[in-house]
Amino acid sequence: MTHIQTIIEELTATVMGKAFVMRLMHMGLDAYVVGETVTANLREGDLLIVGSGSGETKTLIPIVEKAQQLGGTVAVVTINPTSTLALLADLVVKLPGVPKEQTALADETVQPMGSLFEQTMLLFYDALILQIMEDKQLDSQTMYGKHANLE
Amino acid sequence: MTHIQTIIEELTATVMGKAFVMRLMHMGLDAYVVGETVTANLREGDLLIVGSGSGETKTLIPIVEKAQQLGGTVAVVTINPTSTLALLADLVVKLPGVPKEQTALADETVQPMGSLFEQTMLLFYDALILQIMEDKQLDSQTMYGKHANLE
Amino acid sequence: MTHIQTIIEELTATVMGKAFVMRLMHMGLDAYVVGETVTANLREGDLLIVGSGSGETKTLIPIVEKAQQLGGTVAVVTINPTSTLALLADLVVKLPGVPKEQTALADETVQPMGSLFEQTMLLFYDALILQIMEDKQLDSQTMYGKHANLE
Amino acid sequence: MTHIQTIIEELTATVMGKAFVMRLMHMGLDAYVVGETVTANLREGDLLIVGSGSGETKTLIPIVEKAQQLGGTVAVVTINPTSTLALLADLVVKLPGVPKEQTALADETVQPMGSLFEQTMLLFYDALILQIMEDKQLDSQTMYGKHANLE
């Protein structure tokens, strides 16, 4: 079965990726967060999702290259579709926001650093979940049955 | 100095608490996530923030009791202000949403499990951050100077 | 298939549990760490491994009770076989060491807090891995094929 | 004050680094794990400790270079003192073991993958802790006072 692996550049963005991966798991998909204890290895045909506001994080570049060498498809969720990571990717999702490193780009915001990007990322992922639920005819009750029962 | 410690019931909610604690740290506050490697011990006068959709998670009850014995103040962010955790708390913040365990309470939603609660929790925390920034006359540029520069 | 879920009381001990679960996964076993993003729910017949130096951590008691109600088997790895958690468990493994809360119990050590217990726990888990490898006729090469290839 | 930041290549090795950083914190040192929520930014004069069996992990190279540009000192704990990371480092600690990628190097072992390296890494870090305790005249009782009291 195809694995979906999520890795996210910005530390707070990692957080949004984890919420997304947990819902994918609730739907019965084989999804992982890069760097957790039981993360499976990426195989040919797997999808790696990279979230990066600026699209320029240097530590993510060798990971994207490795995933492509292994035959994986790479999707980048970013503010900047002409960034290094976006240009490497097989698929790019452009979200509004201001990268945490800058103060006056694209969409103006009163919010600090990457907050706007994190919010739109969470809402984008949650909207994707609703779409997949509809496609798979799943409801909340069925998904809850897969939620960790020890916490 | 007063510590602020955040702990959150639901696994995905933990995620929102981490985004909040990171911004508090960016503002120069002494904040921690319970369970991480360098989390300080709670001292008299410290604030413990507990996020819990249902307000009924059993593992959080001994933590709230311990924090109060140590002289800490406990705030609970929850959907249910008459829940066990809310009744134990010194301060309660009620947010809209449906606990992940139920399917037909209070605010109707098409979203699965605790998704609505997670979204309102993130927006509530981000609104608090903007308020504290205004009180402390901080801007995004100053806060970015405290962001981890190795990631 | 039977799941193995590990949860460990002391923060540093959690660390040893994660190393163990990663090796179990390398051997093709379906193992998880409680509290991570993709942890499966515990089902009848599953094994929950609890590591606790003192055997008295209050937050672990409701987790052990819940696991037993769900039909799981609970093993406790501890210094103290007459502790609350050990008495609740279906299976107890006694390791040498001094609980981090005490300074003069059982085995004398110059090491601080729970360090001795952590070391014996790591070696005990690694010895178990060697035993299971022998039983399953596995070697390091085969197991490495399951190691995460993005890190 | 000088920060000490630890980052470790191999996933299971990360685990040993976390146990070390927690003890440093118990001794009152300002230590962090790269990638956790409240990790401070690295400043001139800070020490970055990198643990890497093979010394060749590609994602760690830009982190080491960034730390050195910021004026930090980099120490690498590795099996291979002529590896890329070791050659970049200001300070190298050579430990026995076999990198998880290889099966027949240096010290022979029946253990799978990086297990031997993880064990010697834990013991090396714990020995360092005992040395620092002696230098600072600290005992277990004083250190326990800094241990997280909510877990």
Side-chain angles (χ1 to χ4, degrees):
Chain A
M1 184 186 179
T2 299
H3 295 152
I4 299 171
Q5 303 214 12
T6 299
I7 180 172
I8 313 278
E9 169 200 17
E10 297 166 307
L11 288 170
T12 45
T14 307
V15 146
M16 306 309 148
K18 285 186 177 176
F20 182 52
V21 166
M22 193 180 290
R23 288 282 178 263
L24 293 173
M25 180 268 282
H26 290 153
M27 295 194 298
L29 292 170
D30 202 10
Y32 301 94
V33 176
V34 172
E36 292 202 344
T37 306
V38 298
T39 300
N41 53 0
L42 187 124
R43 289 178 291 196
E44 199 175 335
D46 285 352
L47 173 64
L48 173 71
I49 302 172
V50 178
S52 168
S54 68
E56 297 294 346
T57 318
K58 283 188 183 163
T59 50
L60 294 184
I61 296 172
I63 291 179
V64 165
E65 290 171 343
K66 181 80 179 289
Q68 290 176 327
Q69 284 161 24
L70 293 163
T73 299
V74 175
V76 169
V77 180
T78 183
I79 297 165
N80 186 358
T82 59
S83 59
T84 306
L85 286 167
L87 295 177
L88 282 172
D90 302 293
L91 180 69
V92 176
V93 176
K94 184 190 180 313
L95 292 182
V98 180
K100 66 179 188 303
E101 300 82 358
Q102 291 172 256
T103 42
L105 204 115
D107 314 85
E108 292 295 330
T109 175
V110 296
Q111 297 198 76
M113 303 171 61
S115 291
L116 179 58
F117 179 59
E118 288 156 32
Q119 293 156 11
T120 52
M121 185 182 272
L122 178 65
L123 296 179
F124 168 68
Y125 285 148
D126 280 341
L128 267 186
I129 293 294
L130 286 173
Q131 186 63 54
I132 304 172
M133 283 172 70
E134 200 177 304
D135 294 351
K136 288 182 167 276
Q137 305 276 322
L138 292 168
D139 60 23
S140 183
Q141 205 56 30
T142 318
M143 288 168 64
Y144 183 57
K146 289 193 180 286
H147 188 67
N149 49 15
L150 300 181
E151 60 174 321
Chain B
M1 184 185 179
T2 299
H3 295 152
I4 300 172
Q5 303 214 13
T6 299
I7 181 172
I8 312 278
E9 169 200 17
E10 297 167 307
L11 287 170
T12 45
T14 307
V15 146
M16 306 308 149
K18 285 187 177 177
F20 183 51
V21 166
M22 193 180 290
R23 288 283 178 262
L24 293 173
M25 181 268 282
H26 290 154
M27 296 195 296
L29 292 170
D30 203 9
Y32 300 95
V33 176
V34 172
E36 292 203 344
T37 306
V38 299
T39 300
N41 53 359
L42 187 125
R43 289 178 292 195
E44 199 175 336
D46 285 352
L47 174 65
L48 173 72
I49 303 172
V50 178
S52 169
S54 67
E56 298 295 345
T57 319
K58 282 188 182 164
T59 50
L60 294 183
I61 296 172
I63 291 180
V64 165
E65 290 172 342
K66 180 79 180 289
Q68 290 176 330
Q69 284 161 24
L70 292 163
T73 300
V74 175
V76 169
V77 180
T78 183
I79 297 167
N80 185 359
T82 58
S83 60
T84 306
L85 285 167
L87 294 178
L88 281 171
D90 301 293
L91 182 67
V92 177
V93 177
K94 184 189 181 313
L95 292 182
V98 179
K100 65 180 188 303
E101 300 82 357
Q102 290 172 256
T103 41
L105 202 115
D107 315 86
E108 293 294 329
T109 175
V110 296
Q111 297 198 77
M113 303 171 62
S115 291
L116 178 57
F117 179 60
E118 288 156 32
Q119 292 156 11
T120 53
M121 185 182 272
L122 178 64
L123 296 179
F124 168 67
Y125 285 149
D126 279 342
L128 265 186
I129 293 294
L130 285 173
Q131 187 62 53
I132 304 173
M133 283 173 70
E134 199 177 306
D135 292 353
K136 289 182 166 274
Q137 305 277 318
L138 292 168
D139 60 23
S140 183
Q141 204 58 30
T142 318
M143 288 168 64
Y144 182 56
K146 289 193 180 287
H147 188 68
N149 49 15
L150 301 180
E151 61 173 321
Chain C
M1 185 185 177
T2 299
H3 295 152
I4 300 171
Q5 302 214 13
T6 298
I7 179 172
I8 313 277
E9 169 198 17
E10 297 166 307
L11 288 169
T12 45
T14 306
V15 146
M16 306 308 148
K18 285 187 177 177
F20 182 51
V21 166
M22 192 178 291
R23 288 284 178 260
L24 293 173
M25 181 267 283
H26 290 153
M27 295 195 297
L29 292 170
D30 202 9
Y32 300 95
V33 176
V34 173
E36 291 203 344
T37 305
V38 299
T39 300
N41 53 0
L42 187 126
R43 289 178 292 195
E44 200 175 334
D46 286 351
L47 173 64
L48 173 71
I49 302 171
V50 178
S52 169
S54 68
E56 297 294 345
T57 318
K58 283 189 182 164
T59 51
L60 294 183
I61 296 172
I63 291 179
V64 166
E65 291 171 342
K66 180 79 181 289
Q68 290 175 329
Q69 283 162 24
L70 293 163
T73 301
V74 176
V76 169
V77 180
T78 184
I79 297 166
N80 185 358
T82 59
S83 60
T84 306
L85 286 166
L87 294 178
L88 282 171
D90 302 293
L91 181 67
V92 177
V93 176
K94 184 188 181 315
L95 292 182
V98 180
K100 66 180 188 302
E101 301 81 357
Q102 290 173 255
T103 41
L105 203 115
D107 315 84
E108 291 297 327
T109 174
V110 296
Q111 298 198 77
M113 303 170 64
S115 291
L116 179 58
F117 179 59
E118 289 156 32
Q119 293 156 11
T120 52
M121 185 182 273
L122 178 65
L123 296 179
F124 168 67
Y125 285 149
D126 279 341
L128 266 186
I129 292 295
L130 285 173
Q131 186 63 53
I132 304 173
M133 282 172 70
E134 200 177 305
D135 293 352
K136 289 181 167 275
Q137 305 275 319
L138 292 167
D139 60 24
S140 184
Q141 203 57 29
T142 318
M143 288 167 64
Y144 182 57
K146 290 193 179 285
H147 187 67
N149 49 15
L150 302 181
E151 60 173 321
Chain D
M1 184 185 177
T2 300
H3 295 151
I4 299 171
Q5 303 214 10
T6 299
I7 180 172
I8 313 279
E9 169 199 16
E10 296 167 308
L11 288 170
T12 45
T14 307
V15 145
M16 306 307 148
K18 284 187 178 177
F20 183 51
V21 166
M22 192 178 291
R23 288 283 178 262
L24 293 173
M25 181 268 281
H26 290 154
M27 296 195 296
L29 291 170
D30 202 11
Y32 300 94
V33 176
V34 173
E36 292 203 343
T37 306
V38 299
T39 300
N41 53 0
L42 186 126
R43 289 178 292 196
E44 200 175 333
D46 285 351
L47 174 64
L48 173 71
I49 302 171
V50 178
S52 169
S54 67
E56 297 295 346
T57 319
K58 282 188 183 165
T59 51
L60 294 184
I61 296 172
I63 291 179
V64 165
E65 290 172 342
K66 180 80 179 288
Q68 290 176 328
Q69 283 161 24
L70 292 164
T73 300
V74 175
V76 169
V77 180
T78 183
I79 297 166
N80 185 359
T82 59
S83 60
T84 306
L85 286 167
L87 294 178
L88 282 172
D90 302 293
L91 181 69
V92 177
V93 176
K94 183 188 182 315
L95 292 182
V98 180
K100 65 179 188 302
E101 301 82 355
Q102 291 172 255
T103 40
L105 203 115
D107 315 85
E108 292 295 329
T109 175
V110 296
Q111 298 198 76
M113 303 171 63
S115 291
L116 178 58
F117 179 59
E118 289 156 32
Q119 293 156 11
T120 54
M121 186 182 272
L122 178 65
L123 296 179
F124 168 67
Y125 285 149
D126 279 342
L128 266 186
I129 293 295
L130 285 173
Q131 186 62 56
I132 305 173
M133 283 173 70
E134 198 177 306
D135 293 351
K136 289 182 167 275
Q137 305 276 318
L138 292 167
D139 59 23
S140 184
Q141 204 57 29
T142 318
M143 288 168 64
Y144 182 57
K146 289 194 180 286
H147 187 68
N149 48 16
L150 301 180
E151 61 172 321

